Amino acid sequence: ASYAGRLTILQSQQLVEAFTSPALTIPKLSQLMDQFTHDVETETHSKNGWPNTCYGVSKLGIIALTKVLAREYPKMMINSVDPGYCRTDQNDNGGTVDPADGAYTPYLLALMEVE
């Protein structure tokens, strides 16, 4: 996940409600993501309330998927993690977080025992 996927990137209350709906399913989420792709390809995304960031929408989708999976599989531990703005090739090493520090929380979650 990432801070880039926060709900405030959406310019449509209808989209916010769709992504946060307790009735959201994986097929419905897939339809939302496909709609974003279509709207970008037809250059109607801004008019339809989508942001100008594919990266942000992809992270928004991951966060929504995490919530759907957690709801559908309550006996499983389902997580997504924002590692912070890590120094990586993706940002020309301009991040403020050492990659090892960014990896620490996912590492702990992977090893965590379910109670």
Side-chain angles (χ1 to χ4, degrees):
S2 170
Y3 180 73
R6 63 199 180 280
L7 288 170
T8 57
I9 65 173
L10 298 173
Q11 301 304 308
S12 159
Q13 186 59 33
Q14 182 179 358
L15 287 173
V16 170
E17 290 170 6
F19 275 97
T20 59
S21 170
L24 185 63
T25 61
I26 293 172
K28 288 180 184 177
L29 177 58
S30 185
Q31 288 175 348
L32 283 168
M33 301 306 283
D34 288 343
Q35 185 63 50
F36 172 69
T37 301
H38 174 267
D39 288 355
V40 168
E41 290 171 345
T42 59
E43 299 182 1
T44 59
H45 63 286
S46 292
K47 178 180 71 106
N48 292 333
W50 297 101
N52 287 322
T53 169
C54 294
Y55 180 81
V57 174
S58 75
K59 299 308 173 187
L60 180 64
I62 287 173
I63 294 166
L65 177 61
T66 301
K67 291 179 179 184
V68 170
L69 290 172
R71 188 179 66 247
E72 290 183 0
Y73 300 98
K75 293 184 179 184
M76 291 180 68
M77 186 181 307
I78 310 288
N79 298 294
S80 62
V81 179
D82 178 357
Y85 188 46
C86 295
R87 286 186 299 277
T88 64
D89 292 344
Q90 183 175 346
N91 60 30
D92 292 326
N93 294 300
T96 57
V97 177
D98 183 272
D101 292 337
Y104 190 65
T105 299
Y107 163 79
L108 291 176
L109 288 170
L111 297 179
M112 184 181 242
E113 292 188 29
V114 179
E115 296 178 1

